[in-house]
Amino acid sequence: MLQFVNQNTLSDYLNNDWIDRDLHQLLQNSDRLFTSDKWLLNSPPKRCIFDLLYKDLTQTKECLRVLDVGGGLSCFACSKFRSIYYEVLDLFHHESDESLRSLQKSFTSVKFIHRDWQEFDFKDKYDLVIANDIFPNVDQRLDEFIEKFSPHTKEIRFSLTYYNQRRAYKVKRVDADEIFFIRPWNGEQVRSALEPCHETFEESIIKELLYGTESVFENGRQVCTFFMKGTLADER
């Protein structure tokens, strides 16, 4: 399932902005918010995308095993996912080691795994893997991620970020004294990476993905959510 996040999607969510309400309720009981929490608090589009990817997990009565890749540290998420087996796999570069220890102490049922997803060794099967706001704008290894994680889960959910307006980033390697100019992916590159998934997309959605320039973000980026079956989907 592929869905383009546009102004209509955002408007529908804002009719019931439950994340904003619950975040402010959380603030009444704690003055400590982590970077991921602040992004949600300050960005209606990010709350909309969180709603699309995670809302059913806040309501489920099933004991699901969920792996959140790149989920960061979030007091909000941890407080909402108490009824599931929730694991976060991330480099956690937005927070300190002290912050990680603090959140782990507050939510002992959550498992935090501090490493790059490519170095992750599977010890369990998962009902769901989520990768929110990682691919391909932050991490262009989308095809490798699908190949690695699909055999170990029933479903993968993405929010995919790309630009149909030409732009480039000036970046510096962290392991060498080199400067690169990196061009982020466009919709055509995203479509090409998803082709091996053999999904059937609506033609109207494909056109928005490939050629759309409407954005709910100030920097003009496009976002779509994509739900795909993992290899374990038909396993009983």
Side-chain angles (χ1 to χ4, degrees):
M1 181 177 69
L2 184 70
Q3 180 176 354
F4 186 64
V5 180
N6 55 22
Q7 190 58 53
N8 288 336
T9 314
L10 177 59
S11 296
D12 287 344
Y13 167 73
L14 290 177
N15 287 327
N16 179 22
D17 192 356
W18 65 274
I19 297 173
D20 184 66
R21 292 196 300 272
D22 289 3
L23 271 168
H24 281 91
Q25 180 66 41
L26 186 65
L27 277 172
Q28 292 180 9
N29 301 318
S30 172
D31 59 358
R32 181 98 183 255
L33 287 180
F34 298 92
T35 301
S36 296
D37 297 316
K38 294 174 182 177
W39 285 341
L40 284 175
L41 189 65
N42 297 327
S43 174
K46 283 186 177 291
R47 296 199 297 274
C48 173
I49 294 167
F50 188 98
D51 174 79
L52 293 172
L53 295 177
Y54 296 91
K55 185 177 181 179
D56 61 323
L57 301 180
T58 69
Q59 303 169 338
T60 186
K61 298 185 183 300
E62 298 181 70
C63 293
L64 301 177
R65 184 174 292 277
V66 178
L67 179 65
D68 195 349
V69 182
L73 298 186
S74 171
C75 188
F76 178 77
C78 291
S79 68
K80 290 296 181 183
F81 303 147
R82 292 180 183 273
S83 63
I84 63 176
Y85 296 104
Y86 183 57
E87 301 179 23
V88 184
L89 172 61
D90 200 315
L91 293 175
F92 301 115
H93 63 274
H94 291 293
E95 309 288 356
S96 65
D97 291 342
E98 180 184 355
S99 295
L100 177 57
R101 288 192 295 269
S102 173
L103 194 62
Q104 179 69 89
K105 186 176 180 180
S106 298
F107 297 95
T108 56
S109 63
V110 178
K111 184 178 180 180
F112 296 98
I113 307 162
H114 191 180
R115 70 186 62 169
D116 177 42
W117 60 261
Q118 201 167 47
E119 300 169 351
F120 180 65
D121 294 323
F122 289 94
K123 297 180 180 178
D124 298 295
K125 297 178 180 179
Y126 294 92
D127 295 290
L128 177 62
V129 172
I130 301 176
N132 181 21
D133 199 19
I134 306 172
F135 302 105
N137 192 45
V138 174
D139 189 333
Q140 296 185 348
R141 300 171 293 173
L142 175 58
D143 53 346
E144 296 176 47
F145 181 85
I146 293 173
E147 290 172 7
K148 180 179 175 71
F149 282 79
S150 181
H152 301 277
T153 186
K154 296 178 181 178
E155 182 181 23
I156 304 179
R157 298 181 184 179
F158 298 95
S159 67
L160 301 171
T161 301
Y162 54 99
Y163 291 85
N164 283 334
Q165 297 176 333
R166 185 176 293 178
R167 64 182 296 154
Y169 298 126
K170 181 180 180 181
V171 299
K172 183 176 180 179
R173 284 181 56 176
V174 297
D175 59 347
D177 189 21
E178 292 184 277
I179 299 293
F180 294 102
F181 289 88
I182 304 298
R183 191 176 298 285
W185 282 19
N186 57 30
E188 174 61 39
Q189 291 168 294
V190 173
R191 184 201 60 77
S192 178
L194 298 183
E195 267 190 351
C197 302
H198 302 292
E199 296 290 332
T200 301
F201 303 139
E202 294 181 17
E203 184 64 24
S204 60
I205 296 295
I206 286 295
K207 288 182 178 179
E208 285 185 294
L209 177 67
L210 297 183
Y211 311 116
T213 57
E214 179 186 351
S215 175
V216 294
F217 289 92
E218 291 184 1
N219 65 358
R221 68 184 184 266
Q222 280 73 51
V223 178
C224 68
T225 57
F226 175 56
F227 290 21
M228 62 168 286
K229 287 184 177 181
T231 305
L232 303 183
D234 299 321
E235 187 178 275
R236 294 183 178 179

